[in-house]
Amino acid sequence: MKNVVLYVVMVTGLTALFVWLKGRNAERDPASSAMVVSPEGAAARPIVLVDVRTLDEYRTGHKEGALNIPADEVEQLAPRLLPDKNAVIMLYCRTGKRADKALEALRKMGYSHVENLHRFEM
């Protein structure tokens, strides 16, 4: 009987810990994958969704309207495919790591409104 009580207390404690930690993470990183754009800002800056996965990954499925610029080809393709350096550019990939790499490359190239959507579910 003591083992059952101990088990119930442990499961309840772990569940409470996970819920608490999840809430803390949400508070630290509020809506990092979303951007609020005012009507004036939307007219001034177009929003471009960019999938930085490989072409093969892009072909298996992507968000509607997303451009495919693989992370390894950003420096070569961005000047032609993203001519407006004032546009709001939203990057995504499977885990967010390649989007981080692309974000840094774009910022070095002078793009100032670049965001990483991190893991963007299909």
Side-chain angles (χ1 to χ4, degrees):
M1 185 67 174
K2 285 184 179 180
N3 288 341
V4 172
V5 171
L6 181 61
Y7 177 76
V8 169
V9 169
M10 284 177 36
V11 169
T12 304
L14 286 173
T15 302
L17 178 65
F18 288 133
V19 168
W20 179 74
L21 286 173
K22 186 174 181 179
R24 281 191 57 188
N25 285 338
E27 290 171 7
R28 277 191 200 152
D29 191 17
S32 63
S33 63
M35 175 183 245
V36 177
V37 180
S38 68
E40 301 84 32
R45 292 189 194 120
I47 299 174
V48 183
L49 183 61
V50 179
D51 183 332
V52 297
R53 299 175 302 151
T54 65
L55 182 58
D56 288 338
E57 289 174 297
Y58 180 82
R59 287 179 177 157
T60 63
H62 58 274
K63 289 294 182 183
E64 185 178 336
L67 294 176
N68 178 233
I69 304 177
D72 293 336
E73 300 176 38
V74 166
E75 291 173 349
Q76 295 81 24
L77 298 176
R80 181 171 48 90
L81 298 175
L82 302 170
D84 183 358
K85 290 189 177 187
N86 290 315
V88 175
I89 301 170
M90 307 292 226
L91 307 171
Y92 75 92
C93 63
R94 188 173 54 86
T95 65
K97 290 181 182 180
R98 289 175 283 183
D100 273 338
K101 179 181 172 183
L103 181 138
E104 290 303 317
L106 289 169
R107 285 191 177 157
K108 285 179 184 175
M109 295 171 68
Y111 294 86
S112 56
H113 305 287
V114 185
E115 295 292 329
N116 181 349
L117 295 177
H118 299 283
R119 188 176 186 160
F120 200 48
E121 298 296 325
M122 296 299 126

